Amino acid sequence: QVQLVESGGGLVQPGGSLRLSCEASGSIFRINAMAWYRQAPGKQRELVATATSGNRTNYVDSVKGRFTISRDNAKNTVYLQMNSLKAEDTAVYYCNADVSSRGKPWFVRYWGQGTQVTVSS
């Protein structure tokens, strides 16, 4: 079994910054892509940023130039540095990871429990 645990959410004023972390643990042989999603009240969950195992990244247009996704593969951890935060960034942020376990060559997508980010003055 694999667990993903997010941290770093909280309340921040508009224009401020937060750094989210998501650490994967458990029966891990290899991690392929890792990603951050978010879900605002009354809205569908949307993809925010992705990072491949080779650190190729991709972002939704609304966060380009403000958010940076990065990985520490030795720690099985993905980060999301969020700068110049806006009220519309308020949401629950979720990470996921595509993980294979030893002896099982296929990948399974696991999700974290979510961390609340609130941008408000």
Side-chain angles (χ1 to χ4, degrees):
Q1 191 60 286
V2 175
Q3 298 81 38
L4 271 63
V5 177
E6 297 118 334
S7 61
L11 173 64
V12 63
Q13 292 186 342
S17 298
L18 282 175
R19 187 191 193 208
L20 306 182
S21 300
C22 172
E23 180 179 5
S25 63
S27 181
I28 298 171
F29 176 64
R30 179 183 171 192
I31 299 178
N32 196 4
M34 302 183 83
W36 287 96
Y37 284 70
R38 65 186 179 186
Q39 187 166 19
K43 295 187 177 181
Q44 290 189 333
R45 189 174 296 189
E46 69 166 348
L47 176 62
V48 176
T50 61
T52 68
S53 56
N55 273 322
R56 293 181 65 181
T57 60
N58 196 22
Y59 300 89
V60 67
D61 286 345
S62 61
V63 308
K64 285 181 180 177
R66 301 189 297 122
F67 290 11
T68 302
I69 188 171
S70 62
R71 291 174 58 159
D72 184 335
N73 292 329
K75 296 181 179 180
N76 293 330
T77 299
V78 62
Y79 304 96
L80 186 67
Q81 177 66 44
M82 305 185 294
N83 298 328
S84 302
L85 282 161
K86 306 174 181 179
E88 50 264 42
D89 295 318
T90 295
V92 178
Y93 284 70
Y94 300 89
C95 66
N96 73 27
D98 295 336
V99 180
S100 66
S101 299
R102 193 172 296 276
K104 300 179 182 178
W106 56 89
F107 287 89
V108 176
R109 178 160 294 178
Y110 294 91
W111 289 85
Q113 80 287 354
T115 185
Q116 176 70 45
V117 171
T118 302
V119 184
S120 175
S121 55

